[in-house]
Amino acid sequence: MVAQHRLVSDHIYKVFDEPGVYIFKASFEGKDVMARLVNHLKPGDWCFESLMWFFNWEIAKIRFRRWRSLHAMGVNYIVMANSLEEVWRCRALGIPVLLMPQGQFINEQVFTLANEDRDCRYDAFYAAQAVAFKRLHLAEYIKKLYVLTYACPENSLGEYDLRQFEPKVKHADWNKRYISDLQEITSLMQKSHCILALSKVEGAMWASLEGLLCGIPVVSTRSQGGRARYFTTENSRIVPSNPKAIAQAVEYYKYHTPDPQRVRDSALEKIFIDRKNTSKYFASKVLRKQGWSTCQVEHHLFHSKTGIGKFLLKGPDQDNSASTNHNRKTSA
């Protein structure tokens, strides 16, 4: 059993056995993940694809072909959209789609609540790989900034050197090596007054939701991809895409710290709604003949200390039965 606190790209999760129900999140074309998945599929099975990136028309063509191919195999295929805009785009092409945001699969138990009176070393925290769509230059006026980066240019010592990628944030602190430890990342977030989300187009962006679950508010630009689903007037400020507006919003949170518990709860309220809606669909459409109730589906999918990782499909030669220890219906 593998502990995972969220859906991981190019991983396959078998969440039910009969019928076989698979959830996966493929990166762009997703040829490798589909090549692995088709070996397990049989007529009557269900495939739910969580979108990694905003559903543009290039991605739409690939998903349309995927739907037609799986439909010819007798397999049900549904796109799990992160936003209503993606739902509309899928429907325009006739692709089966439901509003099932990826955020519902986060394991909120692993994110600890920040103290309201915590000692904040940084004005803002931004989890951003060194790529153009993250728009790091928009953070140039933030005085005390921490950037958690990866895929970054390196100096002669083999350390990340963010200045090589974006000189406008050369005043920032950043990690000199790749950090994967969740506790270390959470600790860095909690040393900041707010979380940044500056891309214009992306996926649903795990980092902004993780920050909210730590009780830390978000400063975001307007975006496509679904991250705004968990934003409220209590937990975030959405501002124009210019450095001064972003810096002003960050300054606001330096002197107006919202209640961390309320920030967390406002995000959880929406997560719980999404989980209930997903569970209701599975119980009424996918598992109706098996007699699962909405409460039983919800408990099965979302109430595990190891998170979604307990359903991870490891490989064709290993025991991937979803009924092994964890696929039996559990009373709510």
Side-chain angles (χ1 to χ4, degrees):
M1 187 178 294
V2 180
Q4 290 184 345
H5 68 279
R6 64 189 189 189
L7 290 175
V8 178
S9 298
D10 295 325
H11 285 199
I12 303 168
Y13 304 89
K14 187 177 184 181
V15 295
F16 295 98
D17 275 339
E18 292 298 335
V21 181
Y22 301 85
I23 295 174
F24 67 98
K25 184 180 178 184
S27 53
F28 299 101
E29 291 193 26
K31 292 181 179 179
D32 291 341
V33 70
M34 290 308 300
R36 287 187 284 125
L37 179 57
V38 294
N39 292 325
H40 297 274
L41 297 174
K42 61 183 184 300
D45 284 349
W46 293 74
C47 289
F48 290 82
E49 180 174 3
S50 179
L51 292 177
M52 177 182 176
W53 191 265
F54 176 67
F55 196 81
N56 58 38
W57 297 117
E58 181 180 354
I59 292 175
K61 293 176 184 177
I62 297 170
R63 272 50 185 180
F64 182 80
R65 292 195 297 268
R66 182 168 298 161
W67 165 55
R68 293 292 297 271
S69 175
L70 291 174
H71 181 73
M73 295 171 56
V75 174
N76 303 284
Y77 172 77
I78 293 179
V79 168
M80 305 173 78
N82 292 309
S83 66
L84 285 173
E85 185 176 0
E86 292 169 327
V87 171
W88 299 332
R89 289 187 176 210
C90 283
R91 287 178 177 171
L93 294 173
I95 301 173
V97 61
L98 292 167
L99 182 62
M100 290 182 171
Q102 70 172 22
Q104 67 188 298
F105 293 101
I106 200 165
N107 184 358
E108 68 273 14
Q109 300 176 51
V110 304
F111 296 98
T112 56
L113 197 64
N115 295 321
E116 188 171 358
D117 58 350
R118 67 191 184 278
D119 182 20
C120 290
R121 184 183 307 173
Y122 301 105
D123 298 338
F125 170 96
Y126 191 19
Q129 60 177 311
V131 290
F133 75 81
K134 284 293 189 177
R135 302 199 295 182
L136 269 162
H137 64 280
L138 294 177
E140 65 174 310
Y141 294 147
I142 298 173
K143 298 174 184 177
K144 296 180 180 180
L145 172 67
Y146 189 91
V147 179
L148 178 71
T149 192
Y150 60 100
C152 186
E154 297 179 354
N155 60 24
S156 59
L157 299 176
E159 299 174 334
Y160 290 160
D161 188 353
L162 195 63
R163 293 168 298 185
Q164 293 185 40
F165 174 74
E166 182 47 77
K168 289 185 177 180
V169 293
K170 63 183 179 181
H171 62 286
D173 287 345
W174 65 87
N175 52 306
K176 302 303 188 291
R177 56 177 175 79
Y178 180 74
I179 299 177
S180 60
D181 183 74
L182 186 59
Q183 287 188 335
E184 188 175 355
I185 294 171
T186 300
S187 176
L188 288 167
M189 286 194 292
Q190 293 180 347
K191 293 176 182 176
S192 305
H193 287 285
C194 64
I195 306 296
L196 296 180
L198 305 181
S199 57
K200 181 179 180 181
V201 179
E202 195 174 345
M205 191 177 177
W206 288 113
S208 60
L209 180 55
E210 292 167 359
L212 294 177
L213 292 177
C214 288
I216 306 170
V218 173
V219 172
S220 174
T221 56
R222 299 182 184 93
S223 63
Q224 293 175 299
R227 70 173 179 250
R229 178 163 184 79
Y230 300 105
F231 295 167
T232 69
T233 55
E234 293 179 282
N235 66 27
S236 59
R237 293 172 74 88
I238 300 177
V239 298
S241 297
N242 70 73
K244 289 184 178 179
I246 292 163
Q248 288 172 357
V250 170
E251 285 292 306
Y252 173 85
Y253 280 130
K254 284 177 62 177
Y255 301 103
H256 302 84
T257 303
D259 176 16
Q261 186 66 60
R262 188 55 204 150
V263 169
R264 177 183 170 92
D265 289 348
S266 61
L268 283 174
E269 287 170 8
K270 294 191 175 186
I271 289 173
F272 293 158
I273 290 172
D274 290 338
R275 289 177 178 174
K276 182 67 71 176
N277 289 338
T278 294
S279 300
K280 184 177 181 180
Y281 181 85
F282 273 49
S284 62
K285 302 294 184 181
V286 181
L287 303 165
R288 180 175 55 83
K289 293 182 179 179
Q290 286 69 30
W292 288 71
S293 70
T294 298
C295 289
Q296 288 170 331
V297 172
E298 185 173 357
H299 190 277
H300 174 72
L301 286 178
F302 302 113
H303 294 181
S304 169
K305 291 182 179 180
T306 55
I308 190 69
K310 74 174 184 177
F311 301 114
L312 183 63
L313 191 66
K314 295 180 181 179
D317 299 326
Q318 301 181 41
D319 180 11
N320 298 296
S321 173
S323 61
T324 304
N325 298 325
H326 56 67
N327 197 37
R328 299 181 181 90
K329 293 186 288 184
T330 305
S331 299

